[in-house]
């Protein structure tokens, strides 16, 4: 029986990677992420340990943050990203297309949660950037960050084709995907209704869906987080706005750190947002990191359903 299964295995149908019709103005492959790393190292308030570098697998295009041959000491701070580099909801609300549909309060009637509203505004902002790329894409940290983003999110269940979704039959994931697709359609319908009749739409619905998947897979809770769970949160400034409530946004370079698949990995790095400065801090775990090892963090204690929809993978429990 085992021999028969081994013979039949190659004949079983497997999901194929979904491809998006990306506008011709966008790059067709991922640029070297070292451009972003170099620019961030030159920022006066950013710290990136000298032994850290980015590596991109030439076959899978997966990327990660690695230490070189120098060992990282236990609990050593190895990265600091200041809040002025975060991509927040305020930037999305003030993007060209967001202002066209009414700005800050444009989505209020859609009954979205705060995080859902933020992801929609950030998706609109990203669509604007991808539709009109700068002439010098690596001239600033923000433009280099945008250029470093992946343009194929076929590994996310959200982006699977109808044929691939057959594998999810009977799962609650299907309902969650449908609900998210409906939110995307509602926001895009608002964009279409607000667009001047004589003007072309700023971007396609496919690009909006792609941007939404990119954003949701890379969000951080950027509200200031204390070193211990019971410490009192204090109000700090994030992009000039005082905040003491949970806030989500994008953190350049931080979004390239992969998840540790081990539930309790002693080498997994710790991260938090400084109570005083609001900066993103990444520190080595209690055992540090050996030379040549990948730097990983925990994405949180989530269900495999959440992992598959938002990050494109599942893990053993």
């Amino acid at each position: 029986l085992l021999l028969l299964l081994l013979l039949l295995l190659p004949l079983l149908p497997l999901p194929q990677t979904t491809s998006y019709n990306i506008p011709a103005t966008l790059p067709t492959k991922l640029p070297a992420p070292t451009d972003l790393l170099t620019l961030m190292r030159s920022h006066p308030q950013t710290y990136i340990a000298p032994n850290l570098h980015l590596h991109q697998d030439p076959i899978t295009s997966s990327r990660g943050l690695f230490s070189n041959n120098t060992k990282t000491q236990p609990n050593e701070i190895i990265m600091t990203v200041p809040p002025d580099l975060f991509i927040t909801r305020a930037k999305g609300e003030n993007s060209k297309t967001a202002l066209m549909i009414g700005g800050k309060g444009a989505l209020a009637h859609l009954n979205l949660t705060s995080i859902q509203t933020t992801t929609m505004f950030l998706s609109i902002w990203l669509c604007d950037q991808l539709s009109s790329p700068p002439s010098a894409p690596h001239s600033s940290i923000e433009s280099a960050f945008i250029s470093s983003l992946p343009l194929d999110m076929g590994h996310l269940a959200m982006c699977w084709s109808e044929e691939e979704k057959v594998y999810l039959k009977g799962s609650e994931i299907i309902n969650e995907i449908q609900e998210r697709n409906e939110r995307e359609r509602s926001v895009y319908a608002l964009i279409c209704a607000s667009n001047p009749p004589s003007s072309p739409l700023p971007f396609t619905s496919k690009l909006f869906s792609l941007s939404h998947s990119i954003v949701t897979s890379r969000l951080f809770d950027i509200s200031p987080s204390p070193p211990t769970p019971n410490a009192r949160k204090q109000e700090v400034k994030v992009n000039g706005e005082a905040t003491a409530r949970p806030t989500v946004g994008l953190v350049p370079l931080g979004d390239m750190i992969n998840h540790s698949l081990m539930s309790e990995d002693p080498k997994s790095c710790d991260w938090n947002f400084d109570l005083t400065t609001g900066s993103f801090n990444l520190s080595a775990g209690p055992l540090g990191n050996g030379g040549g090892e990948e730097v990983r963090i925990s994405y949180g204690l989530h269900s495999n359903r959440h992992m598959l929809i938002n990050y494109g993978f599942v893990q053993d429990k």
Side-chain angles (χ1 to χ4, degrees), residues 87-107 117-118 120-126 128-129 142 238-241:
I87 312 296
T88 65
R89 176 168 166 172
K91 186 176 288 292
E93 291 171 342
N94 288 285
S95 62
K96 180 180 177 180
T97 299
L99 292 175
M100 179 189 74
I101 64 176
K104 187 174 182 178
L107 307 182
T117 301
T118 298
M120 288 300 179
F121 275 121
L122 289 176
S123 301
I124 292 172
W125 165 82
L126 182 56
D128 282 346
Q129 303 303 311
E142 183 175 300
V238 176
N239 277 2
E241 293 186 351

Side-chain angles (χ1 to χ4, degrees), residues 30-44:
L30 295 172
T34 50
D35 294 321
L36 175 61
L37 187 65
T38 301
L39 285 169
M40 290 189 66
R41 277 198 163 113
S42 67
H43 188 280

